[in-house]
Amino acid sequence: MRTIVLMNQKGGVGKTTTSVNVAAGLARQGQRVCLFDLDPQGHASLHVGVEAFGDALSVYDVFIGEAKLSEVRRLASDNLWAVPANVDLAAAELELADAPNRELILRNAIAELQATDPFDVIIMDCPPSLSVLTINALSAADEVMIPLQPHFLALQGLSKLLETTALVTRRLNPKLRVTGIMMCMFDAGTRLAADVMDDLTMFLEASEPEAPWADAKIFETRIRRNIKLAEAPSFGVSIFDYAAKSNGSEDYGLLVAEILAMDQRLSAAA
Ligand SMILES: Nc1ncnc2c1ncn2[C@@H]1O[C@H](COP(=O)(O)OP(=O)(O)OP(=O)(O)O)[C@@H](O)[C@H]1O
Ligand SMILES: [Mg+2]
């Protein structure tokens, strides 16, 4: 099983769009995928058409120990399950303040899920913060992938994010590695995008070999800005079902192929 967390504490960089479309793309390639919405905004749930209204169970019930993931996950489309979130999750941070091992709730819940109901890939969509929810995701995952928008401030938050990853690697989850960085909302041909790419490449090359991000891949596929990607969520379907011939569908299809190829590389090395 691969467990991948998509994180960036900066808002609006493409975390949810990437989580949903990568999860859907992997499911179309025959992988059994479970998408976790860990954001009280619930956008990933909306995007795959699995919202938790009213009394419906959500990931919040897992965090407070009232439900198991196998009771909360729902089928969104062929091969794709989703664990929905809603605004209740915003309270989890406070409610868990004194809970023992509160950083490990999700890891334990996933271990239980895998024992009864195994998935090939788990994708976790995080909120734009380094909250206890994000720490839970990092404690439970093997891989961190970082969506970046090629903005002149894009790299500013990156060091904080990488420090947090390193802290979790030391204290809670030694297996955790940053495996990929993807450019989202890319405007090809702009000087700025090229500069950000150069800075990022230099930054990774200059990092200590033992840093958990030392081997991170900058994906060759850049996700171009495409209005269809912004429209799809309100129809509750992925870009592949909403606009199969769009640039967005092409880009996420290529990104999924890269993510699958690195899996083969990882298993060849093991
Ligand atoms: N490549 C793209 N082209 C056009 N619009 C996009 C693209 N990627 C994302 N968007 C739109 O940009 C907005 C922000 O994207 P998204 O919700 O994926 O970011 P996020 O990082 O998850 O945000 P948040 O931090 O609030 O969770 C959304 O309205 C989304 O539909
Ligand atoms: Mg989001």
Side-chain angles (χ1 to χ4, degrees):
M1 179 192 46
R2 286 176 83 178
T3 41
I4 304 174
V5 46
L6 277 282
M7 72 177 269
N8 191 330
Q9 78 276 25
K10 189 164 162 29
V13 295
K15 293 181 287 295
T16 301
T17 307
T18 302
S19 303
V20 167
N21 291 310
V22 165
L26 288 168
R28 289 165 67 90
Q29 296 300 321
Q31 303 276 306
R32 197 177 139 89
V33 182
C34 194
L35 171 69
F36 285 45
D37 189 351
L38 298 177
D39 188 340
Q41 297 180 101
H43 288 163
S45 313
L46 171 84
H47 198 334
V48 295
V50 176
E51 285 167 279
F53 294 118
D55 291 336
L57 288 176
S58 73
V59 73
Y60 169 76
D61 298 285
V62 176
F63 275 104
I64 61 166
E66 297 280 317
K68 296 178 181 189
L69 284 171
S70 57
E71 299 166 311
V72 176
R73 62 131 179 81
R74 280 152 51 186
L75 186 65
S77 53
D78 281 353
N79 278 338
L80 177 63
W81 281 259
V83 173
N86 60 28
V87 71
D88 288 347
L89 192 57
E93 180 113 25
L94 277 178
E95 290 176 27
L96 295 176
D98 300 321
N101 290 329
R102 63 191 191 122
E103 295 92 356
L104 302 179
I105 297 171
L106 199 60
R107 183 203 288 187
N108 295 333
I110 289 176
E112 200 180 355
L113 178 73
Q114 277 302 104
T116 57
D117 189 8
F119 285 92
D120 298 317
V121 186
I122 288 176
I123 304 266
M124 297 181 246
D125 180 33
C126 285
S129 66
L130 298 173
S131 66
V132 70
L133 299 169
T134 303
I135 302 296
N136 261 275
L138 291 173
S139 303
D142 294 335
E143 298 182 50
V144 182
M145 292 191 186
I146 303 174
L148 271 192
Q149 210 181 328
H151 183 267
F152 74 102
L153 293 177
L155 299 187
Q156 246 194 5
L158 191 66
S159 52
K160 177 79 189 153
L161 202 164
L162 294 174
E163 264 170 42
T164 306
T165 307
L167 190 75
V168 172
T169 308
R170 281 199 303 276
R171 302 259 175 88
L172 297 162
N173 183 8
K175 287 186 314 207
L176 185 70
R177 292 289 173 273
V178 180
T179 52
I181 300 178
M182 55 275 272
M183 293 290 159
C184 296
M185 292 184 247
F186 197 84
D187 296 305
T190 64
R191 189 64 234 142
L192 183 60
D195 286 350
V196 170
M197 293 289 289
D198 288 349
D199 287 355
L200 182 61
T201 309
M202 269 177 3
F203 175 86
L204 290 177
E205 279 170 3
S207 55
E208 303 279 326
E210 63 274 14
W213 54 86
D215 296 324
K217 171 185 172 72
I218 306 175
F219 289 107
E220 275 165 37
T221 308
R222 288 114 188 229
I223 309 299
R224 289 167 285 180
R225 206 176 272 285
N226 178 222
I227 188 69
K228 298 284 182 207
L229 288 166
E231 290 168 2
S234 38
F235 295 88
V237 293
S238 76
I239 192 66
F240 305 108
D241 289 326
Y242 177 64
K245 296 197 159 54
S246 61
N247 285 348
S249 172
E250 183 184 338
D251 293 348
Y252 276 110
L254 290 170
L255 180 64
V256 164
E258 282 194 71
I259 292 175
L260 276 174
M262 72 204 276
D263 187 24
Q264 277 142 19
R265 215 187 54 211
L266 293 174
S267 35

